[in-house]
């Protein structure tokens, strides 16, 4: 007998038929002699719909009231799922975040879980009940409802798995697992059996939207093995786990990120302190800077080029023009017609030649590289947006030949 935490995303419980399907996955697991805690997201687009409703009434609504509103989505789905299980004749109880012991910090809208007080959860499990928990929500020190940020139910599930030392944490979704590339777009993309936490984090940040980032960070911190699998097709998914327990793969996946703007500052004076001024200004504005490139100085000037998210592009240009004296009169350009293509794999640390293989694939397809950045487990290039899909396919084919 094992304790299994299962999480079902919004698309998995989108309508009555899907709620019943999820109920049967849960009860099948229970019938096999397991204890089950199931975490559920709001049905379908409920959260987006609630955000729209709020905007109709007050586009500047306080975050506190937004959290109170948005948590209702999970309140509904958790009760509905419990009703479906009741109808099948199984003992079940649904719990809201606060009833399940979720204590968070004060940050409405993107609260972090500080602790789970598991007594109630444990008591219900001891009574042999299937426990359904409303994901995405908790209670802060003012006894106010908080939410954990979009996609936060994954984190709720991993946190429960960690707090209860569950034997397994399964995240059910509408895809069958984590793939080497987007299977809808890239021919030959395959499902991975396993992936390390770090690789998953890179893939998540780079736009492979299977698991919420914070949930992977938490899984890594508490060493919770997470299985990502489909709620619609009962086949094995992908296991996210510690690197030490698995074979290193040279490249685990190829991703595309189109939420990128490239800022170029041309002809900056070649003196100390400029980079500091630029990047401390952006940091103060809470802007994440990704790839940074600085040219070698010539004629006492240099160029500094970097990327930020699309939404921050124009704001970065304006802020730099206005606030840094020595950039006055210089060309500061923002180009949003770019995309970042990355290969991710823990094995590249010990295998020279990964970068050249990637660059060769791009060259053979006549795709120009504008910027390059590397980390221990990732190589990213910035290219023209129009070539992005072609680039992903070409690079994917180089590392995962279609046979
Ligand atoms: N319902 C919330 C959202 O849509 C939380 C979640 O789905 O995990 O962001
Ligand atoms: Mg959702």
């Amino acid at each position: 007998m094992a304790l299994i935490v299962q999480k079902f995303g919004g698309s998995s419980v989108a309508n009555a038929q899907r709620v019943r399907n999820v109920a049967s996955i849960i009860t099948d697991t229970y019938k096999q002699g397991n204890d089950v805690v199931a975490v559920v997201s709001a049905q379908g687009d409920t959260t987006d719909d609630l955000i729209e409703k709020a905007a109709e009434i007050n586009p500047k609504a306080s975050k506190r009231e937004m959290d109170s509103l948005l948590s209702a989505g999970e309140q509904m789905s958790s009760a509905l799922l419990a009703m479906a299980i009741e109808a099948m004749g199984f003992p079940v109880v649904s719990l809201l975040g606060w009833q399940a012991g979720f204590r968070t910090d004060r940050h409405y809208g993107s609260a972090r879980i500080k602790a789970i007080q598991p007594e109630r959860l444990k008591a219900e499990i001891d009574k042999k009940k299937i426990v359904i928990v409303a994901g995405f929500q908790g209670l802060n020190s003012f006894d106010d409802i908080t939410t954990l940020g979009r996609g936060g139910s994954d984190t709720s599930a991993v946190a429960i798995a960690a707090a209860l030392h569950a034997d397994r944490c399964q995240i059910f979704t509408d895809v069958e697992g984590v793939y080497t590339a987007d299977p809808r777009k890239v021919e030959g993309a395959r499902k991975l059996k396993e992936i390390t936490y770090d690789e998953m984090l890179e893939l998540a940040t780079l736009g492979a939207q299977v698991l919420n980032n914070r949930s992977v960070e938490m899984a890594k911190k508490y060493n919770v093995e997470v299985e990502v699998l489909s709620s619609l097709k009962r086949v094995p998914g992908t296991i996210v786990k510690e690197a030490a327990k698995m074979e290193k793969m040279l490249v685990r996946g190829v991703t595309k990120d189109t939420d990128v703007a490239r800022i170029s500052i041309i002809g900056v004076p070649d003196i100390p302190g400029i980079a500091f001024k630029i990047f401390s200004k952006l940091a103060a504005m809470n802007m994440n800077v990704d790839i940074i490139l600085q040219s070698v100085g010539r004629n006492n000037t240099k160029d500094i080029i970097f990327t930020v998210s699309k939404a921050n592009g124009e704001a970065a240009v304006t802020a730099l023009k206005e606030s840094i004296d020595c950039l006055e009169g210089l060309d500061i350009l923002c180009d949003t017609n770019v995309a970042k293509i990355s290969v991710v794999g823990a094995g590249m640390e010990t295998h020279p030649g990964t970068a050249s293989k990637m660059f060769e694939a791009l060259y053979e397809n006549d795709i120009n590289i504008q910027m390059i950045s590397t980390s221990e487990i990732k190589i990213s290039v910035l290219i023209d947006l129009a070539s992005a899909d072609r680039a992903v396919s070409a690079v994917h084919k180089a590392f995962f030949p279609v046979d």
Side-chain angles (χ1 to χ4, degrees):
M1 200 195 70
L3 169 59
I4 302 183
V5 174
Q6 301 185 316
K7 181 258 168 178
F8 298 92
S11 58
S12 300
V13 291
N15 53 42
Q17 183 224 332
R18 292 217 173 159
V19 170
R20 281 194 205 102
N21 169 57
V22 164
S24 72
I25 294 176
I26 295 172
T27 52
D28 283 350
T29 313
Y30 181 83
K31 275 191 282 190
Q32 287 158 9
N34 303 299
D35 292 325
V36 188
V37 177
V39 176
V40 67
S41 298
Q43 290 185 289
D45 296 328
T46 305
T47 310
D48 291 325
D49 295 345
L50 291 171
I51 291 172
E52 261 177 45
K53 263 195 202 318
E56 276 173 26
I57 306 249
N58 177 0
K60 292 196 181 128
S62 66
K63 287 188 172 172
R64 181 194 182 278
E65 298 311 330
M66 282 306 288
D67 276 2
S68 184
L69 177 70
L70 296 191
S71 67
E74 273 72 10
Q75 172 153 4
M76 285 169 60
S77 58
S78 56
L80 290 169
L81 180 55
M83 290 173 196
I85 293 174
E86 256 174 19
M88 295 168 78
F90 290 86
V92 62
V93 60
S94 70
L95 299 177
L96 297 176
W98 66 269
Q99 293 172 306
F102 277 82
R103 296 290 174 268
T104 75
D105 67 14
R106 297 167 177 203
H107 290 101
Y108 301 101
S110 59
R112 285 192 180 261
I113 301 167
K114 280 177 41 187
I116 293 189
Q117 296 164 349
E119 292 72 24
R120 176 78 189 269
L121 279 169
K122 283 186 176 157
E124 300 293 354
I125 294 168
D126 285 346
K127 287 188 230 158
K128 286 288 152 210
K129 289 207 177 153
I130 294 172
V131 186
I132 310 295
V133 177
F136 177 57
Q137 52 178 264
L139 198 71
N140 68 14
S141 55
F142 306 123
D143 280 352
D144 281 344
I145 306 285
T146 50
T147 65
L148 308 178
R150 296 307 305 269
S153 306
D154 290 347
T155 314
S156 309
V158 172
I160 290 185
L164 298 178
H165 305 287
D167 300 285
R168 227 179 304 160
C169 180
Q170 299 180 309
I171 308 274
F172 288 85
T173 167
D174 53 0
V175 294
E176 281 176 41
V178 183
Y179 282 74
T180 52
D182 184 344
R184 290 163 305 181
K185 292 203 177 133
V186 180
E187 196 201 338
R190 17 190 127 142
K191 185 166 70 183
L192 294 161
K193 267 206 193 104
E194 44 187 31
I195 182 168
T196 70
Y197 297 121
D198 289 331
E199 288 170 334
M200 191 65 229
L201 276 173
E202 289 291 1
L203 291 182
T205 341
L206 296 171
Q209 270 141 14
V210 199
L211 276 183
N212 172 279
N213 248 352
R214 276 193 189 174
S215 74
V216 183
E217 280 164 10
M218 179 165 302
K220 181 182 176 183
K221 187 166 167 199
Y222 296 102
N223 204 0
V224 176
E225 267 186 32
V226 175
E227 183 180 8
V228 180
L229 69 178
S230 163
S231 62
L232 303 172
K233 206 165 156 193
R234 299 207 192 179
V235 291
T238 303
I239 311 257
V240 191
K241 63 182 185 182
E242 203 181 315
K245 288 195 193 147
M246 59 198 279
E247 181 199 345
K248 283 191 177 176
M249 243 166 96
L250 181 58
V251 165
R252 194 83 59 181
V254 182
T255 60
K256 167 182 91 167
D257 182 1
T258 55
D259 183 17
V260 195
R262 188 193 61 193
I263 312 285
S264 318
I265 315 176
I266 311 296
V268 179
D270 192 11
I271 50 170
I274 301 279
F276 164 67
K277 282 182 191 158
I278 292 172
F279 295 110
S280 58
K281 176 69 199 167
L282 299 174
M285 293 174 70
N286 223 347
M287 285 187 192
N288 257 331
V289 176
D290 189 29
I291 311 179
I292 301 177
L293 197 96
Q294 178 179 296
S295 68
V296 175
R298 66 196 128 64
N299 305 329
N300 299 323
T301 68
K302 60 193 175 192
D303 304 335
I304 294 181
I305 305 167
F306 57 89
T307 61
V308 293
S309 68
K310 271 206 169 87
N312 284 337
E314 287 303 336
V317 172
T318 313
L320 294 177
K321 277 190 175 158
E322 281 173 1
S323 66
I324 302 178
D325 289 349
C326 51
L327 302 183
E328 226 181 278
L330 295 184
D331 275 339
I332 306 185
L333 312 168
C334 171
D335 184 355
T336 52
N337 274 317
V338 291
K340 189 170 68 173
I341 308 299
S342 307
V343 295
V344 174
M348 67 176 69
E349 250 179 307
T350 47
H351 278 78
T354 314
S356 73
K357 196 166 178 170
M358 181 186 194
F359 303 159
E360 183 185 16
L362 295 169
Y363 163 64
E364 279 175 349
N365 285 273
D366 208 22
I367 296 167
N368 188 36
I369 301 174
Q370 301 176 4
M371 295 170 90
I372 301 171
S373 90
T374 64
S375 79
E376 279 171 4
I377 67 163
K378 178 184 77 172
I379 301 166
S380 302
V381 296
L382 198 75
I383 61 166
D384 174 36
L385 180 61
S387 311
D389 287 329
R390 218 157 46 84
V392 173
S393 290
V395 173
H396 188 272
K397 203 161 156 198
F399 289 100
F400 302 95
V402 191
D403 38 40

